[in-house]
Structures are given as C-alpha cells and as structure tokens.
Amino acid sequence: MLDNIDAVNLQDLDAAHHFHPFTDHKDLHARGVRVITSAEGVFLHDAKGNKILDAMAGLWCVAAGYGRSELVEAAAKQMTKLPYYNTFFKTTNEPAVMLATKLAQIAPEGMNHAFFACSGSEAVDSALRTARVYWQTLGKPQKKIIIGREYGYHGSTTLGASAGGMVDMHRQAGDMPNFRHILPPYWYGKGGQMSPEEFGIYAARQLEAKIKELGAENVAAFIGEPIQGAGGVIIPPETYWPEVNRICKENDILLIADEVICGFGRTGKMFGSDYFGIKPDMMTLAKGITSGYLPLSAVMLHDRVAEVMINDAGEYYHGFTYSGHPVSCAVALKNIEILENEKLVAGAAAKGETLRAKLAEALADNPIVGEIRGVGLIGAIELTADKRTRKFFEKNGRVGGICRDFCFANGVIMRAVRDTMVFSPPLTINDDEIDMMVELAKKSIGQTYDAVKSEVAS
Ligand SMILES: *Cc1c(COP(=O)(O)O)cnc(C)c1O
C-alpha cells in the first residue's frame, strides 16, 4: 500500500490526520508539510528531491550523523536477543547495566548512578520528583520550590514546562505551583552596559536574591542548562556557573544540570558541566545519548543524592514501562563507542572554532549580524537592527522567521529563536560541509538583510 503513496498524498494525509508538536496547524496546512524521506551524514533528502544540510542535527540530537549502520546493527542484534523486558521487578538486562556503568565512567566525578527514561522531558520530570523525595527523606518536606530561568527549556511534560521559562507554554497550558524563574545569563539581550563578566555575576546573584526572598528552607533545587539551547543558545559568561555552584552549596539547594543538549560532546567536552566546571547533584541526559536513533534518556545521580535515595528513601514510587529499554541502551552504548573511537568530542571543539572563524569572515560586512557566538558545535548568530547598540528589530521573531525561510529554500536548516539563528550540526560534519554551511548561511543572511534593509541603522 505504501509503495504508491507519493509526496502530495502524504501531505494531504498529514494535514488530515497528523497533529504535530509545536506547530501552528493552520499555517502548516497553508504552506504544506515537508516530507523527509532519507538521510546520510549531515544531509537530509525530501520527497521533492531536495538535498538539505541539516545544521541542527535533527533537534540537536544526531551527534554521530545519519545513516550509521553500526547503530542499526546494534539495535537489530539486541532486538533479536531480547527486544524488551522491564527493570521494575528486581530484574535488569545487560545493555542497561553496561550503559549505566559506562555513563558513570564518563560523567563528572561522583556521578555513579543512572536512572533511565525515554525522553528529556521524562528525565527532567524524574529529576524534579527525585529532588522532592530527597528532601522529604531528609525530613525537610517543605523544601519544594524549583527555580529555573526565563528562556529555559526543560521539556514538555507539565513539570518540565513549569521548570522551563517559555511564557507561551505557561500561558497555554498553565504551570504548576512551586516553580519560580530568574533572569537568564543572556548578555547580548539583557546585559546592558555591563561587561559579560560583570553580567555573569549579576545574573547568578539573581538566584541568591530569589532564594533569600523565598527562604532557602523552601527551595528544593535550581535547574539550568549549561547552555540554554531552545532559548536561543544562551552561553553564560565564564563567571556565571562558578557563582551558581557557590550559591547552591551555601544555601543547601540541589543543583540540576539539564545536559539534554550539551551532553555527549556538543560543547567539545563530554558534558557541559565539564566545560563550565558545574558541580551538579543531578544531570539529565537525552538527545545525543543515542544520536536520536531511538528514544532514551537518563538522570545521573551524584553520590550525595544516591546514598540518601538508596539507603533511606525506601521504595522509589516512580518509573516508566520503558526504563532501561534494552534496545535503546544497546544503541546508546554503540553511539558512545562511536563518539570515542572517532574522537568526535575533541573534534567538536576544533571544528567549532573553524566554523565560527569562517562565519565571522563571511558575515563581517553584513550589517544585521550583531554577534556570532558558540562553544564546540553549538552556536548562534544574533540578527540586529543596530549592531552598535545591540538593538533588536520590531516585532521580535519576524526577521528570524524570514531568515529561517531563506535558509530552508537555500538548502540549509538553521532554527530561528526570536531573531537569533541557532545551529548545532552533527559532530561528524567535515571541512567541506562546514564551508558549504558557511556559504549557505552567508547567502541566506544576505537575502535577509536585503529584505529588511529599510529597518537597519546605517
Ligand atoms: C529537548 C530538551 C528537553 C526535552 O527533551 P524531549 O526528549 O523533547 O522530551 C529537555 N531539556 C532540554 C535542555 C532540551 O533541549
């Protein structure tokens, strides 16, 4: 039946029956959905025969690139041997054990236990529930409040969306009680006249002020992405995380690093916590853990937390049917082996530098490029109406949308967050592909400038 379904049919059927995540359906149906048919390396193919450079690695996840037969074989082998069994009833399976062991090996010092789930949202949800169980067990049940940040993204479950700082998500579906949000360490957008270093301290001290206001005896945890991805690749000044470490420690607040994007090499270190020197009590992992080939996530517990949870908490009333799924875990193990064998983590650091240098050169004369920033292979380009004053365009998000559409039409996928173009290509991207990405970005941002010229300060 599927053989003779062509792209047009799929578009119609999609419009008729498929309800999409994060989509304005009226707008989608007016334009027609794009059907992705196959992929290899850093390239996607669509049903119209276009070849597109995926500078987003899917949704930040396809670290090892598309078309990796090793991952396919690892899945097939495990599916044949044991496709599924749960890890609830005093049972385990080899891939889950070996992956937990491997994660303990590569995670920062003291992170020795992994709890498995299927998505980043579930990992965040699990970490937040664990934080509350932890404080309850220690006889401090009133420590319940979770502090997150504006523009933070921690997934789409109700707890994850509440911890995140995406106002549209809160507005539409409501957020839970006992969540608060502070200023993000977004120097370009919020730093005013401060230097980035000053602003890093200033932004971290917003946490201290918020804890004081709420009372440390009421606060369970602070959650933050090492680099805020979906919020616009917000890279904190280097003064920020050391100050947050200090504040959490002094106030006896758990620190949760949401490594769903930064984990597995994106920053040029295995974890964002390694890059910034974050001292987390828990880390949430997903996306790059399997390069997106199968759904999987994990919460890593520091010994401090694990000892309380194991020795004193009794039964942990939490878990998922697919926690420790053997096939997902087998694929994750093979994926981490690829990252290590091909030295993709160190490679991300070097390639990121090359990419940013080339972007800086190619975009130097474009008046709407306000800042190019990045760490490893995650980065952003700020589009601005006035470079000197870091002034944004009217109707934030409009110019970003124009640029994203030019990118798509030219054959490169970058995402627009407000008027910030963000990118995170597969870690396997090679020199020629970096050149191609830079050329296509230059062309697309050039066309964007032509389209909005009249609004740009001269
Ligand atoms: C994507 C993301 C999540 C949510 O992951 P899902 O797998 O979509 O549930 C959580 N945190 C961060 C930092 C993310 O980027």
Side-chain angles (χ1 to χ4, degrees):
M1 171 196 151
L2 281 170
D3 287 348
N4 54 16
I5 290 184
D6 60 21
V8 177
N9 262 330
L10 283 180
Q11 282 185 335
D12 292 346
L13 291 171
D14 192 87
H17 301 296
H18 187 184
F19 195 69
H20 290 252
F22 285 96
T23 295
D24 176 334
H25 285 78
K26 242 188 203 157
D27 179 55
L28 174 72
H29 297 166
R31 290 162 177 247
V33 73
R34 188 192 279 256
V35 181
I36 304 298
T37 49
S38 65
E40 81 285 318
V42 302
F43 294 103
L44 300 169
H45 299 274
D46 71 12
K48 293 199 170 129
N50 295 304
K51 181 175 173 182
I52 310 150
L53 197 162
D54 182 8
M56 280 306 298
L59 278 177
W60 324 83
C61 51
V62 189
Y66 296 96
R68 301 297 304 230
S69 55
E70 309 95 304
L71 298 180
V72 180
E73 280 154 24
K77 208 167 133 196
Q78 185 56 44
M79 267 198 182
T80 310
K81 192 173 173 194
L82 177 70
Y84 173 73
Y85 196 71
N86 72 73
T87 51
F88 284 31
F89 306 124
K90 300 187 167 61
T91 55
T92 194
N93 63 73
E94 186 184 333
V97 177
M98 296 316 290
L99 180 59
T101 305
K102 183 70 194 177
L103 291 174
Q105 243 172 44
I106 62 177
E109 184 73 35
M111 293 273 174
N112 288 311
H113 289 80
F115 172 87
F116 292 115
C118 307
S119 67
S121 303
E122 288 174 359
V124 166
D125 212 292
S126 302
L128 298 181
R129 294 192 64 182
T130 302
R132 287 176 177 170
V133 177
Y134 172 85
W135 289 118
Q136 237 180 54
T137 304
L138 291 180
K140 299 179 177 177
Q142 74 284 7
K143 273 175 91 69
K144 271 204 185 94
I145 299 175
I146 309 290
I147 301 176
R149 297 176 295 183
E150 295 156 21
Y151 298 150
Y153 186 75
H154 301 296
S156 212
T157 58
T158 306
L159 286 190
S162 302
M166 299 299 188
V167 289
D168 290 331
M169 294 177 81
H170 297 169
R171 176 179 55 74
Q172 261 190 344
D175 55 340
M176 302 281 283
N178 293 318
F179 285 86
R180 298 290 189 285
H181 303 90
I182 58 170
L183 180 80
Y186 179 27
W187 177 80
Y188 190 87
K190 313 232 176 226
Q193 298 305 309
M194 281 181 256
S195 71
E197 292 69 28
E198 288 166 345
F199 179 69
I201 298 287
Y202 174 82
R205 299 228 171 122
Q206 302 290 308
L207 175 60
E208 197 161 42
K210 184 56 82 178
I211 294 170
K212 259 211 188 90
E213 174 198 323
L214 298 165
E217 70 282 7
N218 298 312
V219 180
F222 172 68
I223 182 167
E225 303 151 79
I227 293 169
Q228 286 173 258
V233 183
I234 296 169
I235 302 172
E238 58 185 36
T239 49
Y240 181 77
W241 279 113
E243 188 68 359
V244 170
N245 284 337
R246 174 190 73 75
I247 292 164
C248 288
K249 191 145 195 263
E250 284 182 14
N251 288 281
D252 206 14
I253 305 296
L254 293 176
L255 173 50
I256 303 170
D258 186 348
E259 295 263 5
V260 169
I261 286 179
C262 290
F264 302 97
R266 184 55 57 197
T267 64
K269 298 281 185 187
M270 189 55 88
F271 297 101
S273 293
D274 299 325
Y275 183 88
F276 290 106
I278 306 171
K279 305 263 178 259
D281 297 292
M282 287 184 259
M283 292 195 323
T284 47
L285 312 174
K287 295 196 169 119
I289 193 170
T290 59
S291 283
Y293 280 58
L294 281 177
L296 180 71
S297 65
V299 184
M300 297 294 297
L301 308 179
H302 192 279
D303 294 342
R304 280 193 290 281
V305 175
E307 275 160 24
V308 171
M309 296 298 292
I310 290 167
N311 297 326
D312 305 317
E315 178 168 350
Y316 184 45
Y317 292 103
H318 178 77
F320 303 101
T321 302
Y322 301 123
S323 285
H325 195 288
V327 184
S328 297
C329 291
V331 168
L333 277 165
K334 183 56 78 174
N335 178 60
I336 295 168
E337 191 183 310
I338 291 175
L339 295 180
E340 290 181 339
N341 286 350
E342 299 179 11
K343 302 193 167 38
L344 293 176
V345 179
K351 290 173 190 177
E353 268 183 42
T354 307
L355 173 60
R356 282 189 299 282
K358 291 190 168 176
L359 281 172
E361 198 188 331
L363 297 170
D365 298 332
N366 190 318
I368 62 170
V369 174
E371 181 183 67
I372 300 166
R373 59 174 177 263
V375 167
L377 279 174
I378 180 169
I381 302 166
E382 292 278 2
L383 304 184
T384 174
D386 188 343
K387 272 190 196 197
R388 283 156 308 188
T389 58
R390 312 206 304 267
K391 185 166 112 39
F392 291 109
F393 287 100
E394 297 294 318
K395 279 190 74 188
N396 209 266
R398 178 179 47 96
V399 176
I402 293 172
C403 186
R404 180 205 46 224
D405 289 347
F406 279 127
C407 286
F408 239 117
N410 290 327
V412 63
I413 295 180
M414 288 203 283
R415 186 162 147 190
V417 180
R418 301 178 297 278
D419 293 331
T420 310
M421 303 309 297
V422 303
F423 52 87
S424 76
L427 308 187
T428 51
I429 191 168
N430 67 27
D431 286 345
D432 289 344
E433 292 157 351
I434 285 176
D435 288 344
M436 185 174 171
M437 178 181 156
V438 170
E439 270 316 299
L440 294 172
K442 179 180 179 177
K443 181 175 172 193
S444 308
I445 298 171
Q447 289 167 320
T448 306
Y449 170 62
D450 290 340
V452 300
K453 218 179 243 173
S454 63
E455 304 171 45
V456 179
S458 50

